[in-house]
Amino acid sequence: MDHLDQLEAQSVFILREAYRKLRPLAMLWSLGKDSNVMVWLAKKAFLGRVPFPVMHVDTGKKFPEMYAFRDEYAKKWDLELLLGTCPPVEEMDPSLPPAARSAARKTAGLAAMIEKHQLQGVIAGIRRDEQGTRAKERVFSPRGASHKWDIRNQPPEFWDQYATPHEEGMHIRVHPLLSWREIDIWRYIEREGIPLVDLYFAKDGKRYRSLGDQDITNPVESNAATVAEVIAELETTRTSERAGRAMDHESEDAFERLRVAGYL
């Protein structure tokens, strides 16, 4: 097995463990590269069909290309799609910086969907390498009744044994891509031929490395117009993957505050 085979096998195992241990279970589908890889892995794990719903927590501010992709591939991949909305930014914590406050809408929207569908497990496509706060995560990460993440009280995970503690009102976040790197994601996309929103590919000298809301996400300078060119670029770049995310340039603790409160 090569490196991608090992990552794939680990993720498939995690997805199957989540499906065995946690019901009801749903997967977050943000329409970005990581969540599309995650859907692809789930199809592999369960003989071609994802056996649980995928959820899009919609802020109403995504790029038109992302909505078109969602509608096309929800049908092509035969997904059970659950759609949720987010409250207005005026209802979010006013002490947060502007971009983080806007992103906090998704935290509230996700919490509402978890409660509405009484979910015991939520699969999310975060990776340790993309942001320092996410590097503190576990593969199976418990969230309390208020959806909060207690960073200092995470279960140990030895020998691929994942704890699923259960208390009234709590749920488990499951992270099958936690050990993947950005370049692993792209190499897997190339190997498997996984479809993507075309905003990831350069036009007029710019492309998006990370996709989010239009008003808090910016492109980076790039001439990489194909998957192979993106991989070649990543092999040499020193620019952060989230360089185009406005909230990553705000106060140092803003992202961790969002994560503790239940952000993705």
Side-chain angles (χ1 to χ4, degrees):
M1 296 175 70
D2 65 16
H3 181 60
L4 290 182
D5 290 332
Q6 291 172 356
L7 289 172
E8 179 188 73
Q10 180 188 48
S11 297
V12 164
F13 173 73
I14 291 165
L15 288 166
R16 288 173 175 166
E17 283 290 284
Y19 187 62
R20 182 173 70 88
K21 293 181 175 181
L22 302 169
R23 305 286 182 90
L25 177 69
M27 174 181 284
L28 288 167
W29 189 32
S30 70
L31 315 173
K33 63 184 186 304
D34 299 306
S35 63
N36 288 339
V37 165
M38 198 163 57
V39 171
W40 192 269
L41 289 164
K43 286 165 62 67
K44 282 199 168 192
F46 300 104
L47 305 178
R49 187 177 187 278
V50 182
F52 38 75
V54 300
M55 301 193 304
H56 181 211
V57 185
D58 187 10
T59 60
K61 294 185 175 184
K62 301 300 181 187
F63 294 89
E65 294 91 339
M66 296 175 73
Y67 290 117
F69 185 95
R70 181 192 71 187
D71 296 343
E72 178 181 357
Y73 282 92
K75 293 178 181 177
K76 283 187 176 180
W77 289 340
D78 192 23
L79 302 176
E80 180 186 348
L81 177 60
L82 303 178
L83 297 177
T85 57
C86 300
V89 70
E90 291 77 17
E91 295 182 15
M92 300 300 101
D93 182 356
S95 70
L96 287 168
R101 191 181 185 197
S102 179
R105 298 176 59 230
K106 190 182 289 186
T107 305
L110 174 59
M113 291 193 77
I114 290 170
E115 292 170 7
K116 177 181 178 181
H117 299 286
Q118 298 183 313
L119 296 174
Q120 296 295 308
V122 176
I123 304 169
I126 69 166
R127 307 189 327 269
R128 286 194 179 106
D129 76 316
E130 63 183 324
Q131 208 279 338
T133 299
R134 287 174 170 164
K136 303 174 184 178
E137 273 285 11
R138 296 289 192 268
V139 176
F140 278 59
S141 180
R143 296 298 196 271
S146 61
H147 306 283
K148 290 188 175 181
W149 175 39
D150 185 351
I151 302 173
R152 296 173 179 82
N153 186 27
Q154 294 292 295
E157 294 180 333
F158 300 125
W159 306 292
D160 293 331
Q161 299 298 306
Y162 303 119
T164 53
H166 179 72
E167 298 175 8
E168 187 67 28
M170 74 176 295
H171 72 280
I172 304 292
R173 299 280 177 93
V174 181
H175 304 127
L177 302 181
L178 207 57
S179 296
W180 294 58
R181 302 168 299 159
E182 182 185 13
I183 198 165
D184 296 327
I185 292 291
W186 279 101
R187 286 171 176 160
Y188 191 72
I189 288 166
E190 181 181 49
R191 188 182 87 172
E192 300 288 314
I194 300 173
L196 294 177
V197 177
D198 64 8
L199 294 169
Y200 282 114
F201 303 108
K203 294 179 182 177
D204 302 320
K206 292 183 179 291
R207 73 177 187 89
Y208 289 87
R209 277 180 73 182
S210 180
L211 292 180
D213 288 355
Q214 293 185 64
D215 58 340
I216 56 175
T217 310
N218 300 300
V220 298
E221 292 185 3
S222 172
N223 292 310
T226 66
V227 174
E229 289 173 352
V230 169
I231 292 170
E233 179 183 85
L234 294 178
E235 289 173 340
T236 60
T237 187
R238 298 181 65 87
T239 303
S240 165
E241 177 181 3
R242 293 179 60 88
R245 294 287 190 132
M247 69 177 174
D248 286 51
H249 300 282
E250 294 179 331
S251 64
E252 187 174 344
D253 70 332
F255 194 84
E256 184 153 323
R257 288 171 62 190
L258 287 179
R259 293 281 298 158
V260 168
Y263 189 72
L264 312 184

